[in-house]
Amino acid sequence: MSELATIKKSRFSLVPADGVALDETPLETPVTTTAEYRRGLLTVGGITVLFASNSPAVHAVFSNAAVAPPVLLLNAAVSIVALTGLLFGGDLLASSTPLASTLSVTASRTIEKTSVQAGLELGLWKMLGTVANLFGLSLTSADHGAFLIQLTTLIVPVVQGASGVPIPRKVWCAIGLAICGIFLFTQDPDSSGASLRGDGLCVLAACLYATYDLRLFKWGKLVTPLPLITTKIFTQAALSVLLFLTVGAPTEGIRYISDVLASPDDLCLFGFVTLWCGIAVNAVAPFLQVGGQQAVGPARAQVLYASQPLWAALLSLALLDETVGPEGLAGGALFLAAVFLAATAPAPDANCKDEICEI
């Protein structure tokens, strides 16, 4: 018998005629077409705006409400809403979103051992990052926090480069401009409400989010988006509720709920922020992130994610009356230049012959 019998090929699987399972490495290099690359750029750009809305939304509920919610209560509520939204709307998202061509031929398409393992790991990183982010945003300004969290722009490509992934010079230039933009913005004297402790927590959140992004790129090749993000959000919600019940002083949460029920304005604000951050930021955006990041690669995606602070600053200016000074404007201009460089860089080489490739 030949090494490989007749192979049945489809978009999703490769199965030998004798039924013996192949390993996870496809026989042919998956091709990321120019059209898929551009679609990935548009997807990552769109979810960047959704992610950016998180900072001003969360900061609003801490700064504009008469009684600020306990951080761990808000975290648990957002996670539960995200899980509920994905359980009811996940099939619709899956049916309207094309699968990435880089998906492994043996990728898991149901909730089983591989997807559970992926969800447990990603849910843990995301929960830790979200908690650090929420505590940081409760202590610093929305635009300051958004910029510091974008240190992922540096962390992800540095880790990828250190592991041997070839990253184009144009992308490195874009990363450098983005980091300069972060530095300039954090020097902005017109950023009100910032604090060293809050900034430090946002930096910690950046490290945790960077780890999540890198691991998402690995698991995104092995598990399709719906089971991957469903198990991830289930883990995130379970850990968030457990953290609130054990560390978050449930009596304080009950007291807050009693107070907010007596204040219609605070109730509406808390409800809106919980629904928006739960469904848009923590359910829809992470689902779309799987395919979008697979198409463009994590390093390139980080340059687009780096525009989050620009959107956050605009939203903060419009909704929270936070101001941006000359340094902030200069930092924003550098970010725009960085995004332009990343968007005009060549698509990842689908015929890469290196042992470790960008996609």
Side-chain angles (χ1 to χ4, degrees):
M1 180 178 176
S2 61
E3 288 187 10
L4 285 177
T6 303
I7 298 178
K8 301 175 184 177
K9 295 187 178 181
S10 72
R11 180 183 176 188
F12 303 118
S13 64
L14 292 174
V15 182
D18 59 7
V20 179
L22 296 174
D23 61 25
E24 293 182 355
T25 304
L27 296 180
E28 298 179 0
T29 304
V31 176
T32 298
T33 64
T34 300
E36 183 180 5
Y37 178 66
R38 289 175 179 171
R39 185 172 65 241
L41 287 175
L42 289 173
T43 300
V44 173
I47 64 175
T48 294
V49 178
L50 294 179
F51 283 140
S53 68
N54 184 69
S55 291
V58 170
H59 191 67
V61 82
F62 287 125
S63 61
N64 292 357
V67 180
V71 171
L72 295 180
L73 172 64
L74 178 62
N75 180 49
V78 166
S79 299
I80 291 172
V81 168
L83 178 61
T84 303
L86 198 60
L87 289 176
F88 283 97
D91 289 335
L92 177 62
L93 275 174
S95 63
S96 59
T97 306
L99 294 174
S101 63
T102 55
L103 196 67
S104 169
V105 295
T106 57
S108 171
R109 289 167 174 79
T110 59
I111 295 179
E112 42 75 62
K113 182 179 179 181
T114 303
S115 58
V116 169
Q117 183 182 354
L120 287 173
E121 180 184 348
L122 294 177
L124 174 62
W125 290 121
K126 194 70 170 184
M127 186 276 294
L128 293 174
T130 301
V131 170
N133 187 17
L134 288 174
F135 273 111
L137 289 173
S138 70
L139 299 172
T140 194
S141 65
D143 50 8
H144 227 230
F147 265 78
L148 289 173
I149 289 168
Q150 282 316 123
L151 284 172
T152 54
T153 304
L154 175 63
I155 298 170
V156 169
V158 165
V159 172
Q160 275 208 301
S163 62
V165 175
I167 298 175
R169 182 177 300 176
K170 202 169 186 178
V171 174
W172 277 118
C173 291
I175 291 165
L177 285 175
I179 296 303
C180 290
I182 291 175
F183 175 77
L184 278 177
F185 199 89
T186 55
Q187 306 306 306
D188 186 359
D190 285 355
S191 273
S192 58
S195 74
L196 184 61
R197 181 180 298 178
D199 288 353
L201 286 169
C202 288
V203 171
L204 174 60
C207 296
L208 294 166
Y209 283 151
T211 304
Y212 171 83
D213 286 344
L214 288 165
R215 300 301 293 165
L216 177 66
F217 185 63
K218 177 218 169 179
W219 288 117
K221 294 178 184 293
L222 304 177
V223 186
T224 53
L226 185 56
L228 178 63
I229 299 303
T230 300
T231 53
K232 168 256 176 186
I233 291 180
F234 178 84
T235 302
Q236 184 179 345
L239 291 175
S240 297
V241 171
L242 181 63
L243 187 64
F244 170 69
L245 293 176
T246 56
V247 180
T251 54
E252 182 183 353
I254 295 173
R255 190 182 309 115
Y256 168 77
I257 293 173
S258 176
D259 292 339
V260 81
L261 287 175
S263 174
D265 290 342
D266 284 2
L267 180 61
C268 289
L269 179 59
F270 180 80
F272 174 77
V273 170
T274 301
L275 288 173
W276 177 260
C277 293
I279 295 175
V281 180
N282 283 277
V284 175
F287 183 94
L288 298 177
Q289 183 184 16
V290 178
Q293 190 168 294
Q294 287 295 320
V296 303
R300 295 166 187 257
Q302 291 304 318
V303 180
L304 295 178
Y305 293 151
S307 65
Q308 285 185 47
L310 296 179
W311 298 107
L314 289 174
L315 290 170
S316 298
L317 178 65
L319 302 176
L320 304 179
D321 293 325
E322 293 186 2
T323 58
V324 178
E327 291 86 350
L329 292 175
L334 288 178
F335 266 107
L336 290 176
V339 171
F340 175 78
L341 275 180
T344 56
D349 184 8
N351 298 312
C352 169
K353 303 301 182 183
D354 296 333
E355 184 177 349
I356 304 176
C357 294
E358 192 178 354
I359 59 171

PDB file of all heavy atoms in Angstrom, residues 5 45 47 113 180 277 294:
ATOM      1  N   ALA A   5      -3.071   6.618   0.974  1.00  0.00           N
ATOM      2  CA  ALA A   5      -4.079   6.143   0.032  1.00  0.00           C
ATOM      3  C   ALA A   5      -4.805   7.357  -0.538  1.00  0.00           C
ATOM      4  O   ALA A   5      -4.485   8.487  -0.235  1.00  0.00           O
ATOM      5  CB  ALA A   5      -5.050   5.206   0.756  1.00  0.00           C
ATOM      6  N   GLY A  45      -9.878  45.653  12.534  1.00  0.00           N
ATOM      7  CA  GLY A  45     -10.169  47.069  12.719  1.00  0.00           C
ATOM      8  C   GLY A  45     -11.515  47.303  13.381  1.00  0.00           C
ATOM      9  O   GLY A  45     -11.655  48.154  14.263  1.00  0.00           O
ATOM     10  N   ILE A  47     -13.288  45.142  15.360  1.00  0.00           N
ATOM     11  CA  ILE A  47     -13.334  44.717  16.765  1.00  0.00           C
ATOM     12  C   ILE A  47     -12.455  45.617  17.627  1.00  0.00           C
ATOM     13  O   ILE A  47     -12.678  45.712  18.845  1.00  0.00           O
ATOM     14  CB  ILE A  47     -12.904  43.242  16.927  1.00  0.00           C
ATOM     15  CG1 ILE A  47     -11.445  43.032  16.518  1.00  0.00           C
ATOM     16  CG2 ILE A  47     -13.826  42.330  16.158  1.00  0.00           C
ATOM     17  CD1 ILE A  47     -10.945  41.623  16.769  1.00  0.00           C
ATOM     18  N   LYS A 113     -12.449  17.468  24.317  1.00  0.00           N
ATOM     19  CA  LYS A 113     -11.232  17.622  25.111  1.00  0.00           C
ATOM     20  C   LYS A 113     -10.374  18.798  24.672  1.00  0.00           C
ATOM     21  O   LYS A 113      -9.948  19.616  25.502  1.00  0.00           O
ATOM     22  CB  LYS A 113     -10.410  16.327  25.049  1.00  0.00           C
ATOM     23  CG  LYS A 113      -9.142  16.393  25.897  1.00  0.00           C
ATOM     24  CD  LYS A 113      -8.373  15.078  25.828  1.00  0.00           C
ATOM     25  CE  LYS A 113      -7.090  15.158  26.651  1.00  0.00           C
ATOM     26  NZ  LYS A 113      -6.311  13.894  26.594  1.00  0.00           N
ATOM     27  N   CYS A 180       6.018  54.740  20.442  1.00  0.00           N
ATOM     28  CA  CYS A 180       6.284  56.170  20.648  1.00  0.00           C
ATOM     29  C   CYS A 180       4.978  56.915  20.931  1.00  0.00           C
ATOM     30  O   CYS A 180       4.940  57.837  21.762  1.00  0.00           O
ATOM     31  CB  CYS A 180       6.971  56.763  19.421  1.00  0.00           C
ATOM     32  SG  CYS A 180       8.668  56.212  19.185  1.00  0.00           S
ATOM     33  N   CYS A 277     -20.663  45.848  27.464  1.00  0.00           N
ATOM     34  CA  CYS A 277     -19.362  45.193  27.665  1.00  0.00           C
ATOM     35  C   CYS A 277     -19.491  43.677  27.614  1.00  0.00           C
ATOM     36  O   CYS A 277     -18.559  42.982  27.198  1.00  0.00           O
ATOM     37  CB  CYS A 277     -18.755  45.633  28.997  1.00  0.00           C
ATOM     38  SG  CYS A 277     -18.279  47.373  29.040  1.00  0.00           S
ATOM     39  N   GLN A 294      -6.181  35.186  12.832  1.00  0.00           N
ATOM     40  CA  GLN A 294      -5.577  34.113  12.052  1.00  0.00           C
ATOM     41  C   GLN A 294      -5.185  34.612  10.662  1.00  0.00           C
ATOM     42  O   GLN A 294      -4.173  34.200  10.101  1.00  0.00           O
ATOM     43  CB  GLN A 294      -6.548  32.932  11.920  1.00  0.00           C
ATOM     44  CG  GLN A 294      -6.731  32.122  13.191  1.00  0.00           C
ATOM     45  CD  GLN A 294      -5.478  31.418  13.633  1.00  0.00           C
ATOM     46  OE1 GLN A 294      -4.735  30.897  12.830  1.00  0.00           O
ATOM     47  NE2 GLN A 294      -5.224  31.418  14.928  1.00  0.00           N
TER      48      GLN A 294
END
